[in-house]
Amino acid sequence: MLRVELLGEFAVARDGVPLTLPHGLARLTAFLALRLGPRQRDQVAGTFWSESPEEAARSSLRTAVWGLRKALGSDAVIATRTAVGFAPDVVRVDVADVETLVAAGDLAGAVALCRGELLPDVAADWADSARRAHHRRHADLLDRLAEAADSRGDGAGAVRWSRIRCELDPLDEVAHVRLLHRLAATGDRSAGLVAGREFARRLRDELGLHPGPALRAAVAELNAAPGVRPPSAVRAFPMFGRSAELAAVTGAWDAARAGHGRIVVVTGEGGIGKTRLVGEVARRASRVGGRVAIGAGLDVGGEAPLAVWHELAAELVAVVPAPPPDAGWPAELGRLAPDLTAGLGRSTVPPPVASPELERLRIFDAVLRLVEWAAAHRPVFLVAEDVHRADRASIALCAHIGRRLARLPVLFLLTRRGRPESPDVDALLADAAGRGTDVLELALGPLPEPDLAAVIRSVVGLPAPDVARVLANADGNPLLAVERARAVAGGHAEPPPSLRVAVRASMGALPRNARELVEALAVAGRGLIPREVAALGLADVAGTEAVALDTDLVQRDRAGLRFRHALLAEAARADLPDPHRRHVQVANAIVAAAGADADRVAAEAARHLTLAGRDDLAGDLWRRAARHARSLGALPEAAGFWLEAVRQAPQDPVPRLELAEVYAWLGRRDDFEREWQDALPHIRADDLALAWHRRGNVMRSVLCHPSEGTAAYQRALDVLPADAPGHLRASVLAGLAQLWSVTGDPDGTEALLTEAERLATDPTPDLVVDLTTARLLLLIRRSRFAELEAAASRGAAAMAAAARPDQAFAGLVTASCGLAAGGAPDAALRLADRALVLTAGVAVLTLPCLAARAHLLARLGRHDEALAAAREQLALAERLDSRRFVAQAQGDAGLVALAAGRPAEAADLLAAALDGPVPDGDAPISRPSTRLARAEALADAGRADDATAELRRAVLEPVGTGDQAWSLVPRMSRIQGRIALARGDRATARRRFTEAIATWRRLTPPTPGDDLMAALVDLGRPPVIGLVEPARELERLHGELAAVQEASCPASP
Amino acid sequence: MPGFTLSGYTPAPVEEVWKLLFDPTRFPEWWSGVETVHTEGPDRYVMWPDGYPDFPMPQSLRTERGASRVTVSCQVSDIDVVWQLAEAGNGTRIEVRVDLPDAEAHRLASQRRIIAASLDNLTALAAAATP
């Protein structure tokens, strides 16, 4: 198959291998590819050799066609006496693919293929004509998509398509009028006014025209409503110098476009030109059809976790096509910010899950899927600016994405200053490089004087002596040089010695309103969106913005108004006459503008109020910020925000208790205890029971301390007032029942549960989860497996009705394991598969379901399906970047491979599970059992010595109750038999198998329910795979013994 | 709390000693003074001392998340016997630590004799089990 790309950059590939064609052949290929099938030779010759005599032209065409057949393959080229062309069944062209998708009704898919201008580098009439036709086609498709979104009431979608349409034709007035109407219809008047003003300015600057009546009417309509007035334009300066760095980054971009994604890090001091370099590459990437997203976060720190990624995701959401209807990740993305989900045309955000770690993994996976979706049809240029000051969660997500770039058409560029050092970023880069992602590090030094002079001359017209004075002491820093030049051009006798003096000079002459706006932008430390600027309470916002923009200290970009450079903002902040007032003003504005999404900006606003000395106003915001951080799984940030809340209200027990719980999730048990005990004296008598109940929950689930949990629940019952609401008493009893169902007396648990269920007349979702879970665990504990399937189904329905579908799967998986232990693998598989359906698209929840499915299929002898499920589990775990999940999945896959008779593969997987590094403790696998399984795999693979060594390592592993210690001795004897067989020593094999059989017969195994519970406590999950069943072990041993004895008998005569 | 520590060596590999320690039903084969053992579950058993058929001694067998340590605790007398194994060349070094409650201090010498004999038996039995 010959593939020809005419959109964006011209490219030809044969069977996936890129071809390089001489200039003439490339043009002829492009011409013929515009319309597949035979073309008249005379027409082609006349088009390409119009200056030559007819016969000479025909001869040149013959030569060219010969060259084409040789270069592209003779089957691709039609060549008859009168015609020449490309064979439609051999050649595929992207322009033709666009039409195929349009014919199939997939307009969004067709637009996704329009990656840039058609043949942008070919200057010929035929190319111009084709280019215009394709441009019209592209525009028509975008209009149709916007209209379709209009007709189904999808205002956001209509605006999105309309914006892309305007980007395609920046001077098309009709398209802009439609965009303004659509923005007005969605209520975003500020954005409408901005778009209208920018269009009008573009029209004036580039064509010398004024907008027509339709656009003026649309603007007037938007102005009629209260809101923000439009801004001035962005000033873009030409780029000088940096050719080597630019070549390096564009080279990386070219490699990324070809599918070999990579990371580029640009390091340099503030003002040295990092942002300018990024801007230039972004412009080039955009020109060839790339999707560009840039995020920075705050200049001044203290923002919400993942702030950089909120910006990046918002930029990507604005340019990607609508995801498929069955994709689950758009809803998951709403955990980061609901507006992202809305921007993708969805409305629902799934409820939070109990564990912050799972929450974090879900968000990370959703963002990764957004990046993958953005890169599915076009290359992506992703930029995280100034990562040296990014929050830790943002850097962790950068690492998560960075590790997966090697096979994606994504260039991920990070900028940072050289000082202070950023070890988190260094770790990110080392990690990505270690995972196979190419990392290129560039250092931007001082700009050479000739280039710096060119920069200055491009900004202000200064005589040569003045340019020389400006250059002196500018240290090759373009930002400083430009500001010094501006000051001189503005009448200063001498260039200001520092940026601060230059900024002071620019701001000094501003009228009050504009100065106030510029100060607010300096204090904000980031760009302010139009809604936020409007909420600052300034008079004549549009006029004020225009004056502020004239200083060139600030600029407008896609998001809103911002300082042109962080160093300029820093200089402005240093000279603020009344910073406290400005901080309060900005805090109020960003909270007001955020509306229902105010939790996302709460940390930022709280920091402003704290800096303003208004702790009285900041306290509530710190609490909201902490809850938001916790909902993102960003625990260190949540702890920091709760600490602020504690600092501002030391007598209030609520923030201390919340802080204690975050410490518990972080595994900092001593800190948990300290904060909890400090809070205790301040808790009101009426709230004591609730506090003890929450402590019980933490001890039961997070810290896994059953005796402390029991004590806390008992204390809650002791202090519960007689008239306490029934649901609170029921919650305490349910928590206690859940604890006892694992470790306590089953009869007592039954009584507790019955009482809790009686009291729970109107249960909360959490109570439904606790009651259902306790009931399932108790059934397993009592080995009443026959009742499990019905109970799990009832529980799943109850959890779904209580809006906790995320918990429903857990009950199904637990019950599935119970049924497996009870010898009902078919029923167990049904439940595991139902759990899989419930968790589809949410990787972190799908893992245990796949593990259960793999085990059960292996148990039923369906080994190929079991292997497929185990491999899917492993792939998902690797995608999540959780070493613990990966180790668990490797262990599971190893056991499945062993059961499937693939010992070599099993040995490798089990070794990986045992040996891989796991932060924060051991992998959740039974180490002695895993070593025994590996010894068996090695023996079966014929590696007897290695098997013996592994067996020896097994006995030196620590053993806990979850390791099914009772079964280790006979299992070890059996594996010694397998090793003897591998050595060809049948006598020893017989002896070991016999010994194993005798031991199995002697020992008293626990009830399956108790065994499951032990694993649940020790490993955090039931022994989904590797459950030891004595009857099956005996049956297998008898078979193996019989086989050895048969092989030992002399052959019959 | 009175107590003592003994150690020994057997040419048997560590897994053979480990199997004997983890299987209480085999204690009568090597633990001096133990005549019969009846298991009651994966980690609990009852033993009857030599010559005392009407004197059951419930025991608990506990494995710990520490290197190869098996603790046998008498539920009647509160005597703890902790066995610990380590590879030594091709063989195994065995260390046993016995702690007695103060009330049982008078049994220190007899316990030392019993455990020393048991240690000898254990090393010999493990060596014999090795092919």
Side-chain angles (χ1 to χ4, degrees), chain A residues 306-686:
Chain A
L306 295 172
V308 173
W309 281 95
H310 180 260
E311 278 189 54
L312 278 171
E315 296 229 330
L316 283 178
V317 162
V319 296
V320 296
D326 60 346
W329 60 265
E332 292 283 312
L333 198 60
R335 297 168 181 281
L336 184 54
D339 57 329
L340 299 174
T341 296
L344 291 165
R346 305 292 180 84
S347 56
T348 52
V349 176
V353 294
S355 156
E357 173 62 5
L358 297 189
E359 196 75 42
R360 187 185 70 78
L361 290 173
R362 288 172 77 164
I363 291 169
F364 276 27
D365 196 46
V367 174
L368 174 61
R369 284 175 193 269
L370 170 65
V371 173
E372 289 172 339
W373 175 245
H377 303 293
R378 296 195 199 183
V380 172
F381 182 44
L382 214 53
V383 182
E385 286 217 79
D386 291 337
V387 287
H388 57 275
R389 57 176 164 76
D391 62 277
R392 204 185 297 169
S394 283
I395 291 178
L397 184 46
C398 286
H400 187 78
I401 303 289
R403 291 179 199 122
R404 287 162 179 77
L405 293 183
R407 293 182 185 171
L408 289 175
V410 176
L411 177 63
F412 192 9
L413 190 146
L414 314 171
T415 69
R416 65 168 171 180
R417 292 187 193 167
R419 292 281 181 277
E421 290 185 354
S422 38
D424 285 350
V425 179
D426 291 336
L428 176 169
L429 301 175
D431 177 74
R435 306 282 189 104
T437 299
D438 283 339
V439 176
L440 171 66
E441 296 199 52
L442 290 176
L444 286 194
L447 200 61
E449 279 204 357
D451 294 326
L452 204 54
V455 172
I456 291 168
R457 281 194 291 270
S458 75
V459 179
V460 288
L462 285 181
D466 284 345
V467 172
R469 283 195 302 146
V470 167
L471 284 176
N473 302 322
D475 296 331
N477 186 308
L479 183 74
L480 180 57
V482 165
E483 295 312 314
R484 284 158 64 93
R486 281 207 175 105
V488 171
H492 280 249
E494 286 299 322
S498 69
L499 210 55
R500 185 168 164 183
V501 177
V503 171
R504 191 184 302 151
S506 291
M507 290 179 67
L510 283 173
R512 186 171 151 268
N513 263 4
R515 187 183 173 89
E516 211 170 294
L517 174 59
V518 174
E519 287 181 4
L521 287 167
V523 159
R526 64 166 170 86
L528 292 180
I529 60 173
R531 277 201 308 274
E532 292 168 333
V533 174
L536 287 172
L538 303 172
D540 183 21
V541 174
T544 302
E545 282 186 18
V547 175
L549 286 164
D550 283 344
T551 64
D552 267 331
L553 288 174
V554 299
Q555 65 179 27
R556 173 169 291 289
D557 61 14
R558 272 189 291 186
L561 274 185
R562 68 168 70 233
F563 257 80
R564 191 158 49 75
H565 198 282
L567 285 182
L568 298 175
E570 207 172 294
R573 278 197 296 274
D575 274 341
L576 288 181
D578 185 1
H580 289 187
R581 181 162 164 251
R582 213 53 74 214
H583 277 298
V584 173
Q585 183 184 20
V586 170
N588 290 337
I590 60 179
V591 169
D597 198 18
D599 286 354
R600 192 176 50 75
V601 295
E604 189 185 348
R607 188 190 63 82
H608 282 301
L609 292 170
T610 302
L611 288 173
R614 296 300 305 271
D615 283 355
D616 56 321
L617 300 176
D620 180 55
L621 285 166
W622 283 123
R623 295 175 192 216
R624 292 170 71 175
R627 290 195 178 97
H628 177 65
R630 163 93 186 257
S631 77
L632 296 176
L635 292 175
E637 287 83 356
F641 298 155
W642 279 124
L643 266 176
E644 286 290 342
V646 167
R647 186 179 64 76
Q648 290 172 6
Q651 306 299 314
D652 186 345
V654 172
R656 279 195 194 279
L657 289 175
E658 295 283 356
L659 176 62
E661 286 191 14
V662 173
Y663 281 145
W665 279 111
L666 284 165
R668 293 164 57 177
R669 172 135 191 224
D670 292 346
D671 292 327
F672 163 81
E673 204 57 67
R674 186 194 63 242
E675 290 301 330
W676 206 90
Q677 295 301 337
D678 284 352
L680 195 55
H682 303 295
I683 301 173
R684 290 187 310 133
D686 288 353

Side-chain angles (χ1 to χ4, degrees), chain A residues 948 951-952 955-960 963 965-966 968-969 972-973 976 988 991-992 995 999 1002-1006 1018, chain B residues 13-16 18-19 22-23 25-26 39-43 63-68 85-87 90 129-131:
Chain A
T948 302
L951 186 81
R952 201 151 293 164
V955 307
L956 296 173
E957 288 285 356
V959 178
D963 297 313
W966 56 273
L968 291 174
V969 170
M972 189 173 293
S973 296
Q976 287 178 310
T988 301
R991 185 162 72 82
R992 293 299 192 187
E995 177 184 302
T999 313
R1002 273 204 312 272
L1003 62 78
T1004 309
D1018 249 28
Chain B
V14 67
E15 62 268 21
E16 291 305 331
W18 190 91
K19 284 196 299 183
F22 265 70
D23 187 354
T25 60
R26 298 194 66 186
T39 56
E40 292 195 324
D43 54 0
T63 55
E64 292 178 12
R65 288 214 169 268
S68 299
L85 310 180
E87 274 190 292
N90 292 327
T130 306

Side-chain angles (χ1 to χ4, degrees), chain A residues 720-731 759:
Chain A
L720 202 61
D723 59 347
H727 70 82
L728 178 56
R729 187 178 295 276
S731 295
L759 290 168

Side-chain angles (χ1 to χ4, degrees), chain A residues 236-240 273-281 283 385:
Chain A
F237 302 116
M239 180 145 176
F240 297 97
K274 300 185 292 296
T275 303
R276 185 66 196 90
L277 181 66
V278 165
E280 183 59 25
V281 180
R283 192 180 65 79
E385 286 217 79

